[in-house]
Amino acid sequence: MLMHTATLYLTTVLIWGSTFFAIRLQLGEVAPEVSVAYRFAIAALILLVWCAVKKLPMRFSLSQHLWMFAQGLTLFGFNYMLVYWASADLTSGLIAVVFSTIVLMNIVNGMLFFGKRSDRSVLFGALIGLVGISLVFKPELAKLNSDSHALTGLLLSLLGTFIASLGNMLSARNQQAKLPVVQTSAYGMAYGAVALAAIAVYQGATFSYEATWQYTGSLLYLALFGTVIAFGSFLTMLGRIGADKAAYCMVLFPLVALGLSTLFEGYRWSSEALMGMALVVLGNVLIVATPKQLARLRQWLQLQVNKPAKSA
């Protein structure tokens, strides 16, 4: 039975919200581009074995492989290399905030590449969510003015996010061309891993391995959950509901990152953060709800506003 779209959405939010913290655990002895290559090589191997067990068709034309290659570089390669680099200068929560701008990037790119116009509720919900996220992380955003390293990390994160948005467009195109998600992801991850390994060789990086529980555990988590399961859920959802709505989980998962920052990085809640969280939830409702559900919500709000106050 196909997984329900809401389950795919929740799975993506929870897993990807935790991956930014896991990425920080990867920083250390191993070069970032090598760590990303390890991650997607393992993920590709898992998916290729799955395809073999399920006897899925794996023969595609050269043209189809080129499209898979393009998707691999943008979704499973360059974007994550830049995010790993940015993680050396920014906290995991702030990188998650920057990555949430992919919602607007997907809307704009969807218009440019597919001529698709989003509903006003989607645009409005995305803007509300981004405002909410900005309020949640306002103190960290304020530090960018006086920290050149943080500014470098911000630019790297924005570039990585834009590349990921292009990857979303390529995935949408590939699904429209009837390329299967699992096989496309398997080949794409393999292509991404090879490309990153080539970059590492060119830069003279050493293919070392940090034999610690922290590095090994985070690598396996990122490969299996953060890559195979989360990307499978997200790309399937993208094919069902479109890149603009699917990308809204990118606005929600910073809240998961925030929760982990509260537990492990000493983040302190403020009134602005609580207000921002409420706006994110409201934006989420606006962007994923159907027109009928939005109409019911408006009716309920009108009833609450017009309800007579109880006498003391």
Side-chain angles (χ1 to χ4, degrees), residues 90-105:
L90 296 179
T91 63
S92 59
L94 186 52
I95 293 178
V97 174
V98 176
F99 213 85
S100 68
T101 61
I102 198 173
V103 179
L104 294 179
M105 292 183 187

Side-chain angles (χ1 to χ4, degrees), residues 303-311:
L303 288 174
Q304 299 307 308
V305 171
N306 298 326
K307 185 183 294 184
K310 293 182 180 180
S311 57

Side-chain angles (χ1 to χ4, degrees), residues 124-142:
F124 189 52
L127 289 173
I128 287 178
L130 290 174
V131 170
I133 285 295
S134 298
L135 285 175
V136 169
F137 288 96
K138 184 179 177 181
E140 291 183 276
L141 291 170

Side-chain angles (χ1 to χ4, degrees), residues 292-303:
K292 288 185 178 180
Q293 291 172 331
L294 289 174
R296 291 174 185 171
L297 177 61
R298 283 194 294 268
Q299 291 176 356
W300 181 83
L301 290 174
Q302 289 174 353
L303 288 174

Side-chain angles (χ1 to χ4, degrees), residues 32-44:
E33 51 272 24
V34 174
S35 288
V36 185
Y38 288 160
R39 170 181 175 176
F40 286 108
I42 294 172

